[in-house]
Amino acid sequence: MNAQVPEASLPTVAELEEQERRLVFRRFTHEDAWALGSLLVELARERQAPVAVDIHRGGQQLFHAALPGSTPDNDAWIARKRRVVERYGSASYLVGFRFRAKGTTFEDSSRLDPDRYAAHGGSFPVTVAGAGVIGSVTVSGLPQVDDHRMVVEALERFLGE
């Protein structure tokens, strides 16, 4: 689990699945990507979080920002976490959690190249009602549970939850 966060404060699989059921868009445009990405940048600036933010839709990068303190490694983590969302259709944190709940790890059991895929928190599916998962929103630079929570907080604000 995450060494910096007490295990009792980590979300459960049920809570993570509930987030995915709840955080669904009616539509998702280029303008929505810009507004959501800008909201994430605003949250990160308020917290002086050294993160990179990325939003993809249908294989196209619609938004990217690298805040002070972020590094090229954050972009590599974004790509690896995003690929997990694209492959599994679920949040990267939830995918990793599901493997751990089975008594194994994503790295040991997924049969996917860990240089290309990372089931660590921070990438969340962009789901459109009636269409399914069409993209992802990803944050990298904080402990994985905090990356995940920042994305969820921004989605809740954006969607008026």
Short mmCIF file of all heavy atoms in Angstrom, two decimals, residues 41 44-45 49-54 63-72 74-75 78 140:
data_model
loop_
_atom_site.label_atom_id
_atom_site.label_comp_id
_atom_site.label_asym_id
_atom_site.label_seq_id
_atom_site.Cartn_x
_atom_site.Cartn_y
_atom_site.Cartn_z
N VAL A 41 -5.07 22.23 -12.57
CA VAL A 41 -3.91 23.10 -12.39
C VAL A 41 -4.16 24.08 -11.25
O VAL A 41 -3.27 24.31 -10.41
CB VAL A 41 -3.58 23.84 -13.71
CG1 VAL A 41 -2.59 24.97 -13.48
CG2 VAL A 41 -3.04 22.86 -14.74
N ALA A 44 -3.78 22.22 -7.98
CA ALA A 44 -2.36 21.94 -7.74
C ALA A 44 -1.61 23.19 -7.31
O ALA A 44 -0.77 23.14 -6.40
CB ALA A 44 -1.73 21.33 -8.99
N ARG A 45 -1.90 24.31 -7.95
CA ARG A 45 -1.22 25.57 -7.57
C ARG A 45 -1.58 25.97 -6.15
O ARG A 45 -0.71 26.40 -5.39
CB ARG A 45 -1.59 26.68 -8.55
CG ARG A 45 -0.85 26.57 -9.85
CD ARG A 45 -1.14 27.76 -10.74
NE ARG A 45 -0.31 27.69 -11.93
CZ ARG A 45 -0.66 28.16 -13.11
NH1 ARG A 45 -1.83 28.75 -13.26
NH2 ARG A 45 0.15 28.06 -14.14
N ALA A 49 1.45 21.74 -5.35
CA ALA A 49 1.71 20.33 -5.68
C ALA A 49 2.57 20.24 -6.94
O ALA A 49 2.21 20.80 -7.97
CB ALA A 49 0.39 19.59 -5.89
N PRO A 50 3.68 19.53 -6.87
CA PRO A 50 4.60 19.41 -8.00
C PRO A 50 4.14 18.33 -8.99
O PRO A 50 4.75 17.27 -9.10
CB PRO A 50 5.91 19.03 -7.33
CG PRO A 50 5.47 18.20 -6.15
CD PRO A 50 4.18 18.83 -5.69
N VAL A 51 3.04 18.59 -9.68
CA VAL A 51 2.43 17.55 -10.52
C VAL A 51 2.43 17.93 -11.99
O VAL A 51 2.58 19.09 -12.35
CB VAL A 51 0.98 17.26 -10.08
CG1 VAL A 51 0.94 16.74 -8.64
CG2 VAL A 51 0.08 18.46 -10.26
N ALA A 52 2.23 16.91 -12.80
CA ALA A 52 1.90 17.08 -14.21
C ALA A 52 0.47 16.57 -14.37
O ALA A 52 0.04 15.65 -13.68
CB ALA A 52 2.86 16.29 -15.10
N VAL A 53 -0.27 17.21 -15.27
CA VAL A 53 -1.68 16.90 -15.51
C VAL A 53 -1.84 16.59 -16.99
O VAL A 53 -1.27 17.27 -17.85
CB VAL A 53 -2.57 18.12 -15.15
CG1 VAL A 53 -4.03 17.85 -15.48
CG2 VAL A 53 -2.39 18.50 -13.69
N ASP A 54 -2.65 15.56 -17.28
CA ASP A 54 -2.83 15.13 -18.67
C ASP A 54 -4.28 14.70 -18.87
O ASP A 54 -4.86 14.02 -18.01
CB ASP A 54 -1.91 13.95 -18.95
CG ASP A 54 -2.08 13.39 -20.34
OD1 ASP A 54 -1.38 13.87 -21.25
OD2 ASP A 54 -2.90 12.48 -20.51
N PHE A 63 -5.07 18.00 -23.24
CA PHE A 63 -4.58 18.93 -22.23
C PHE A 63 -3.33 18.35 -21.59
O PHE A 63 -3.28 17.15 -21.32
CB PHE A 63 -5.64 19.16 -21.13
CG PHE A 63 -5.25 20.20 -20.12
CD1 PHE A 63 -5.64 21.52 -20.29
CD2 PHE A 63 -4.50 19.87 -19.00
CE1 PHE A 63 -5.28 22.49 -19.35
CE2 PHE A 63 -4.14 20.83 -18.07
CZ PHE A 63 -4.53 22.15 -18.25
N HIS A 64 -2.36 19.21 -21.36
CA HIS A 64 -1.17 18.81 -20.60
C HIS A 64 -0.59 20.04 -19.94
O HIS A 64 -0.51 21.10 -20.54
CB HIS A 64 -0.10 18.18 -21.50
CG HIS A 64 1.06 17.66 -20.71
ND1 HIS A 64 2.15 18.43 -20.38
CD2 HIS A 64 1.29 16.45 -20.15
CE1 HIS A 64 3.01 17.71 -19.66
NE2 HIS A 64 2.50 16.51 -19.51
N ALA A 65 -0.22 19.88 -18.67
CA ALA A 65 0.47 20.95 -17.94
C ALA A 65 1.46 20.32 -16.99
O ALA A 65 1.17 19.29 -16.37
CB ALA A 65 -0.53 21.80 -17.16
N ALA A 66 2.62 20.94 -16.88
CA ALA A 66 3.65 20.51 -15.94
C ALA A 66 3.92 21.67 -14.99
O ALA A 66 4.37 22.73 -15.42
CB ALA A 66 4.92 20.11 -16.68
N LEU A 67 3.61 21.46 -13.73
CA LEU A 67 3.77 22.52 -12.74
C LEU A 67 5.17 22.49 -12.14
O LEU A 67 5.87 21.47 -12.24
CB LEU A 67 2.71 22.37 -11.64
CG LEU A 67 1.35 22.96 -12.04
CD1 LEU A 67 0.63 22.07 -13.01
CD2 LEU A 67 0.53 23.24 -10.83
N PRO A 68 5.59 23.60 -11.52
CA PRO A 68 6.91 23.65 -10.91
C PRO A 68 7.13 22.48 -9.95
O PRO A 68 6.25 22.15 -9.15
CB PRO A 68 6.91 24.98 -10.15
CG PRO A 68 5.93 25.83 -10.91
CD PRO A 68 4.86 24.87 -11.35
N GLY A 69 8.29 21.85 -10.09
CA GLY A 69 8.64 20.71 -9.27
C GLY A 69 8.36 19.38 -9.94
O GLY A 69 8.88 18.35 -9.51
N SER A 70 7.56 19.39 -10.99
CA SER A 70 7.34 18.14 -11.74
C SER A 70 8.56 17.89 -12.62
O SER A 70 9.37 18.78 -12.84
CB SER A 70 6.06 18.21 -12.57
OG SER A 70 6.16 19.19 -13.58
N THR A 71 8.68 16.64 -13.08
CA THR A 71 9.84 16.24 -13.87
C THR A 71 9.39 15.43 -15.08
O THR A 71 8.23 15.00 -15.15
CB THR A 71 10.80 15.38 -13.03
OG1 THR A 71 10.18 14.11 -12.79
CG2 THR A 71 11.17 16.04 -11.71
N PRO A 72 10.31 15.15 -16.00
CA PRO A 72 9.96 14.27 -17.12
C PRO A 72 9.48 12.89 -16.66
O PRO A 72 8.68 12.26 -17.36
CB PRO A 72 11.26 14.17 -17.92
CG PRO A 72 11.96 15.46 -17.64
CD PRO A 72 11.64 15.75 -16.19
N ASN A 74 7.38 12.33 -14.40
CA ASN A 74 5.92 12.40 -14.22
C ASN A 74 5.20 12.13 -15.53
O ASN A 74 4.15 11.47 -15.54
CB ASN A 74 5.51 13.76 -13.66
CG ASN A 74 6.06 14.00 -12.27
OD1 ASN A 74 6.80 14.95 -12.05
ND2 ASN A 74 5.73 13.14 -11.32
N ASP A 75 5.75 12.59 -16.64
CA ASP A 75 5.13 12.32 -17.95
C ASP A 75 5.18 10.83 -18.27
O ASP A 75 4.22 10.28 -18.83
CB ASP A 75 5.80 13.14 -19.05
CG ASP A 75 5.54 14.62 -18.90
OD1 ASP A 75 4.48 15.01 -18.37
OD2 ASP A 75 6.41 15.41 -19.31
N ILE A 78 2.52 9.22 -16.18
CA ILE A 78 1.21 9.51 -16.78
C ILE A 78 0.91 8.53 -17.90
O ILE A 78 -0.17 7.94 -17.96
CB ILE A 78 1.15 10.97 -17.29
CG1 ILE A 78 0.95 11.91 -16.10
CG2 ILE A 78 0.05 11.15 -18.33
CD1 ILE A 78 1.09 13.39 -16.45
N SER A 140 0.19 13.11 -11.96
CA SER A 140 1.36 12.41 -11.45
C SER A 140 2.27 13.39 -10.74
O SER A 140 2.51 14.49 -11.24
CB SER A 140 2.13 11.74 -12.59
OG SER A 140 3.32 11.14 -12.09
#
